[in-house]
Amino acid sequence: MRFLVLHGPNLNLLGRREPEVYGRMTLDDINARLEQLALHHDVALDIVQSNHEGALIDAVHAAIGTADGIIVNPGALGHTSLALRDALAAAPPAIEVHLSNVHAREAFRHTSLLAPVCIGGIYGLGAAGYALALEALIDHLTPREPAPAGEG
Ligand code: DQA
């Protein structure tokens, strides 16, 4: 399997940016942890961070036909970007991740324009959210044998 990991605006500042909200891990720390987990599961990752909406959309387009799934922390664009939503609607299955608990913060962070086109979302669990998203995507993409009759 191959996943695109997309980090949106300002996430390059993690570790220095509002550490009381986002913690002290840098984006490199988060990516290294995720790469390790991906290796363990035999999953290849393409990791992209951009502060530019168009570059994020281009990365989603590049994932069409080349990636099996997407993990996206859109930053503030999750609350505002119809264009990113439309791109994800045309792309492989995506999971939206937010490090912070967006629902415990300002009202403008309570809406996600991406949520309806994602298979699910994880918020408030810090860097662990990315790891959970990776495992959830693998689970989503792994075909299951139906349980034999009489079990469960
Ligand atoms: C964020 C939450 C967004 O509301 C915010 O704009 C971010 C980070 C998070 O990971 O908690 O940039 O996506």
Side-chain angles (χ1 to χ4, degrees), residues 9-11 14 17 21-22 73-77 79 97-102 105 108-109 124 130:
N10 302 309
L11 293 169
L14 285 177
R17 171 194 186 202
V21 178
Y22 298 114
N73 182 344
L77 289 175
H79 314 304
V97 173
H98 292 281
L99 293 156
S100 63
N101 181 352
V102 284
R105 301 180 63 195
F108 57 80
R109 296 185 204 276
Y130 290 93

Side-chain angles (χ1 to χ4, degrees), residues 53 57 76-86 113-114:
E53 186 177 15
I57 292 167
L77 289 175
H79 314 304
T80 61
S81 176
L82 272 176
L84 186 56
R85 171 199 172 116
D86 285 350
L113 296 185
L114 309 191

Side-chain angles (χ1 to χ4, degrees), residues 6-31 33-34 71-76 79 96-105 109 121-132:
L6 208 52
H7 303 288
N10 302 309
L11 293 169
N12 54 312
L13 296 179
L14 285 177
R16 288 178 286 155
R17 171 194 186 202
E18 300 178 82
E20 66 290 355
V21 178
Y22 298 114
R24 299 228 170 250
M25 278 181 95
T26 66
L27 193 59
D28 282 349
D29 295 334
I30 289 175
N31 288 338
R33 182 171 160 177
L34 203 56
I71 297 167
V72 54
N73 182 344
H79 314 304
E96 181 179 8
V97 173
H98 292 281
L99 293 156
S100 63
N101 181 352
V102 284
H103 294 286
R105 301 180 63 195
R109 296 185 204 276
I122 298 168
Y123 55 86
L125 302 181
Y130 290 93
L132 293 167

